[in-house]
Amino acid sequence: MLLQTRGVTQRFGGLVAVDDVDFTVEARSVVSLIGPNGAGKSTFFNTVAGFLTPAAGSITFDGEEIAGLPQHKIVKAGIARTFQNIRLFGQMTALENVMVGTYCRTHSGIVRSVLRLPARREEQWVLRRGRELLDLCEVPGGAAERLASHLSYGHQRRLEIARALATEPRLLMLDEPTAGMNPRETADFIEFLRKLRDELELAVVLIEHDMNLVMTVSERITVLDRGRKLAEGSPAEIRSDERVIEAYLGRRHNDA
Ligand code: ADP
Ligand code: MG
């Protein structure tokens, strides 16, 4: 088990946004977190990733307790995430955005000591790694030198993932990565997720509303509703769960 939460709870004043959630992710697997808007999915991500300190509960990553650690320590432990609303440095180029992610490793001296690189060589390594990650995430060749804010929406989404990968995570948490993508981009995204799992050997947690994508790519699905875990299981189990249909799946056609 790579990630394991027990009783994770998050409050905003009187509102219990995440209520006593147990959640597990195995290494090299894709797990989805689904549920209606306001269910607490993003808040759960923010809590695991160290943007919020849990009001209660335990979060272990690779056997170590990480609940309440500052964000940068959680990144160093090997958890990277993207945001529901894209957060790139719009006035930096695509390549520079990715390099920001890489520096979380180089500044710690890890890359330098492993590769025994002097500072200038390290800079070259960071540039090369940045280009590799842009390729891997299929941000087109010419885009590396363009300002992030000038890229298409789909490419900005992929750039954000490239920047997350630059921190060399073992667990990648993606908050609604296909929101705003066209059907073609969403279909391609299924293959991309498989590549992350099978070639990069990553575990991926996905918050996602596209049920075709969720059902196709997930090994396990957890359903949140009003902060609580409503159900958990394989795609087939979730698809036929009456409570999930009532609380979420059956209402999907009424969504915007
Ligand atoms: P989801 O991602 O499942 O749509 P969120 O985690 O964004 O849900 O929100 C869960 C609940 O917590 C909602 O009622 C939301 O309004 C509330 N909430 C989220 N973030 C904050 C915040 N920073 N302060 C106060 N309330 C918040
Ligand atoms: Mg959300």
Side-chain angles (χ1 to χ4, degrees), residues 12 15 17 36-43 84:
F12 298 113
L15 174 77
N37 286 328
K41 305 180 298 296
S42 293
T43 302
Q84 185 170 343

Side-chain angles (χ1 to χ4, degrees), residues 1 34 99 201 230:
M1 223 39 92
I34 66 172
M99 288 163 69
E201 305 187 338
L230 181 71

